[in-house]
Amino acid sequence: MLHFTGASSVQEILAASISPSITSSISGNAPAELKGMAIRWYDLLHQRGGYVRQIREKLTITEISLVSKPGEERGAQVKMVCELDVAPETCSSAGILDVGCIGFLVDEGSSIALQLLSILQKGSPHMGVSQCLNLQFHGEVAQGGKIIIVNRSVSKKTDVGCCTSEVWEVTNARKLVASATHLVVPSSMSPALKQEISTRQPQARL
């Protein structure tokens, strides 16, 4: 499950240290600093409250990797994988993983993957808002199952970020449940707040 810092403000969360025992439990070749950043960003989202808190609390980050295709520079993509048990609070009245829950998991996971890529490539997070989130549904998962959410941030060289996501059931045989493409554009966040978050964000070293 996610390990939250216990801090209550943006400043405290971004400045909080993450135990090496926590970051080492996340597989993948990304540096520990980057894995810690993912935890901090989930913590920031957790401060919003709402019914999704109990879902987010049961989410586990299992992998953060820097991925490159032939001809690309190292770390051209960030892959982040999360795992979740399909519990009653994630399901519709029919006992099936709710499409709204899938959208929530993909939205946050892909946004954080883009933040990590922006920090690697530009040295600061990308303060953006969703321009569009296209979801396609391929199958259903019943309560009691297990899913993984695979987010791949594939572009952050410009002000527009792009991330692809897949949701797989891994209860028994592996089955594709949903796929998505998420485009993020610059937000209207005040320059002062952007600067505060950027300056407090630890740097990741490749």
Side-chain angles (χ1 to χ4, degrees):
M1 294 186 292
L2 284 174
H3 296 269
F4 298 108
T5 63
S8 58
S9 69
V10 172
Q11 296 88 343
E12 292 173 342
I13 291 171
L14 293 178
S17 61
I18 306 296
S19 169
S21 64
I22 295 175
T23 55
S24 64
S25 69
I26 302 172
S27 68
N29 64 354
E33 294 95 331
L34 201 68
K35 295 175 180 178
M37 290 173 195
I39 295 170
R40 291 186 185 94
W41 278 98
Y42 267 118
D43 202 349
L44 284 171
L45 294 171
H46 204 56
Q47 302 305 310
R48 296 178 178 179
Y51 75 96
V52 295
R53 286 177 64 94
Q54 60 181 324
I55 299 174
R56 194 184 294 112
E57 287 170 351
K58 297 177 181 177
L59 195 66
T60 300
I61 303 174
T62 59
E63 177 189 350
I64 299 179
S65 297
L66 310 183
V67 181
S68 301
K69 294 180 180 179
E72 291 182 333
E73 61 186 87
R74 185 182 178 215
Q77 299 180 18
V78 170
K79 175 185 176 185
M80 183 175 75
V81 182
C82 297
E83 183 179 88
L84 181 71
D85 290 326
V86 181
E89 60 268 21
T90 68
C91 293
S92 66
S93 58
I96 301 298
L97 179 63
D98 190 77
V99 295
C101 181
I102 293 174
F104 148 69
L105 293 168
V106 167
D107 184 17
E108 290 197 347
S110 59
S111 296
I112 290 174
L114 280 171
Q115 296 285 2
L116 301 182
L117 185 61
S118 179
I119 291 167
L120 279 174
Q121 294 181 344
K122 298 184 176 183
S124 63
H126 173 68
M127 303 298 134
V129 294
S130 297
Q131 182 185 58
C132 64
L133 176 59
N134 293 321
L135 279 161
Q136 293 182 311
F137 299 98
H138 309 279
E140 297 179 337
V141 186
Q143 181 179 325
K146 183 186 292 290
I147 60 170
I148 61 170
I149 306 97
V150 183
N151 303 288
R152 296 182 179 89
S153 51
V154 296
S155 174
K156 196 62 217 66
K157 288 290 188 180
T158 66
D159 286 339
V160 178
C162 178
C163 189
T164 63
S165 300
E166 299 164 356
V167 179
W168 293 84
E169 179 182 11
V170 292
T171 313
N172 296 306
R174 191 178 175 99
K175 180 181 73 175
L176 183 63
V177 177
S179 57
T181 302
H182 191 187
L183 294 181
V184 177
V185 297
S187 73
S188 57
M189 182 183 295
S190 70
L193 182 55
K194 286 184 180 181
Q195 179 64 25
E196 178 182 355
I197 292 178
S198 296
T199 55
R200 290 181 178 272
Q201 190 72 48
Q203 297 297 303
R205 297 184 297 275
L206 288 175

